[in-house]
Amino acid sequence: MQIYSHWARTTLAAQNADGAPIQLIAYTGSDESLAAAQAAGRQVLQHRQARLLADEKLGEYPTGKAPLREQLEQRIYDTHGTLIAALTRNRYGSVVLNAHRVMFLDVDDLDLRQSLIRQRPTEPFSLIRFFRELFSPAAPPPPPVPPLALQEQLQLRLAAWLQLHPEWNFRLYRTRLGFRLLVTHQLLAPTSTEAQEIFAAMLTDAVYVRLCQSQDCYRARLTPKPWRIGWHRPTQPFPYDTPEQAEQQQQWQTQYAARSAAFSVCELVGEYGSGHMTPEARLLTELHDAACLGGRKLA
């Protein structure tokens, strides 16, 4: 996992090779201290300034494997004192569980729906039907796929996987616009071969897969998206430059927490497979379910 305890925003008034002024900004993290994060930022900016003066292109701000700039809320350890997860607050204010090796999968309704549409049988080509449709009003769109059909498709995929891998165990949750799977029987690295196979078999969201691989952890949102509960995103980007900004963020979080109480993030559909849980998975399952379930409107 790429999680830092301290983040700093560092700026530098610089010039490019032509003498034109330019403002450089760096976001850097450290587990040692805020001062260490700031020192790392100054080093980054000095390196960028040197490249500018040498007329080298800086390119885009680092992405991909760059750590996510999120406020650390809590680190989670197993009974042996090993770090297994961390809670962070993402850019729009929701609390996210970052699990080192306990696997979560994010499956969108859209991907399941498209898969079902592709599976529908097609009629053989007919020249008569082609001309009839060519000069007739546009046909109505196909009927929408009911949510239950999407769930049944995912359950069939689970059943097929378990036929070949009976030792596996899944917990299946319904989210606002899809499903969440939690693998409990073993620990898996996001870049492992097994992880790639199950990502593909369950039609896991491609953006989510790339994020897990680049950050070397799985992510599960534990609190609602603010716009789904009638609230706005935080007004101050993290990290905060002044005590006033930090205070504004704290006020935002207080109101956000109060509004979130009327909503749930997901609901449990069922458990499938061997029933086995590693100690790490059991710990994170209890934390996840306490935060996400509740039988309220999904957000």
Side-chain angles (χ1 to χ4, degrees):
M1 293 187 295
Q2 301 189 80
I3 305 293
Y4 286 125
S5 299
H6 307 278
W7 278 93
R9 177 180 180 270
T10 312
T11 62
L12 177 66
Q15 292 181 340
N16 62 18
D18 297 326
I22 187 171
Q23 180 84 351
L24 297 178
I25 301 175
Y27 292 95
T28 47
S30 169
D31 275 336
E32 180 183 336
S33 65
L34 177 60
Q38 292 169 334
R42 288 192 292 270
Q43 287 185 340
V44 169
L45 293 180
Q46 289 168 4
H47 176 69
R48 291 181 186 169
Q49 184 181 35
R51 293 187 62 191
L52 279 174
L53 293 175
D55 203 20
E56 297 178 7
K57 292 184 178 181
L58 296 183
E60 297 293 332
Y61 187 82
T63 56
K65 292 187 177 299
L68 293 175
R69 194 173 76 244
E70 296 181 346
Q71 183 174 357
L72 176 66
E73 299 284 338
Q74 179 185 351
R75 294 186 189 269
I76 302 167
Y77 300 87
D78 65 13
T79 55
H80 303 290
T82 302
L83 179 68
I84 62 171
L87 303 183
T88 59
R89 192 172 295 274
N90 68 14
R91 68 184 186 281
Y92 52 78
S94 296
V95 177
V96 176
L97 171 63
N98 302 264
H100 188 217
R101 292 295 181 261
V102 176
M103 186 180 202
F104 287 85
L105 297 93
D106 183 11
V107 183
D108 288 346
D109 282 350
L110 178 61
D111 293 325
L112 291 170
R113 186 177 296 111
Q114 290 176 341
S115 176
L116 273 178
I117 292 173
R118 288 195 297 268
Q119 294 171 17
R120 288 175 176 172
T122 56
E123 299 179 11
F125 178 77
S126 165
L127 188 61
I128 296 176
R129 187 175 70 254
F130 171 78
F131 282 108
R132 185 171 62 244
E133 294 175 352
L134 183 64
F135 297 105
S136 63
V145 179
L148 187 58
L150 302 178
Q151 179 175 308
E152 289 173 348
Q153 183 196 174
L154 187 53
Q155 289 170 322
L156 287 174
R157 288 177 175 272
L158 284 172
W161 182 268
L162 290 170
Q163 281 284 97
L164 299 175
H165 309 278
E167 74 281 6
W168 279 62
N169 194 67
F170 300 88
R171 287 173 68 82
L172 174 61
Y173 302 87
R174 179 63 169 155
T175 62
R176 170 76 175 268
L177 294 175
F179 298 89
R180 177 178 293 171
L181 286 164
L182 169 55
V183 177
T184 70
H185 72 289
Q186 74 176 90
L187 305 180
L188 290 166
T191 54
S192 67
T193 301
E194 285 182 295
Q196 308 321 302
E197 292 174 351
I198 194 65
F199 280 145
M202 298 301 141
L203 296 181
T204 310
D205 176 65
V207 174
Y208 174 79
V209 171
R210 289 195 297 272
L211 181 61
C212 291
Q213 293 170 340
S214 66
Q215 296 299 311
D216 192 30
C217 71
Y218 305 97
R219 286 167 61 87
R221 180 171 52 83
L222 301 185
T223 60
K225 293 182 176 179
W227 57 89
R228 291 179 178 171
I229 62 173
W231 197 224
H232 57 82
R233 295 170 181 251
T235 56
Q236 303 298 335
F238 178 80
Y240 314 116
D241 292 330
T242 65
E244 290 76 19
Q245 289 184 355
E247 176 60 26
Q248 290 177 19
Q249 173 63 17
Q250 188 56 54
Q251 293 175 3
W252 182 95
Q253 289 177 201
T254 300
Q255 298 246 17
Y256 168 73
R259 291 171 178 264
S260 297
F263 297 86
S264 298
V265 170
C266 57
E267 59 187 20
L268 179 65
V269 176
E271 189 166 342
Y272 305 82
S274 64
H276 181 68
M277 274 197 181
T278 66
E280 297 89 345
R282 187 175 302 279
L283 176 61
L284 295 192
T285 297
E286 292 174 355
L287 184 154
H288 171 272
D289 289 3
C292 294
L293 305 184
R296 298 175 289 270
K297 183 178 179 181
L298 298 182

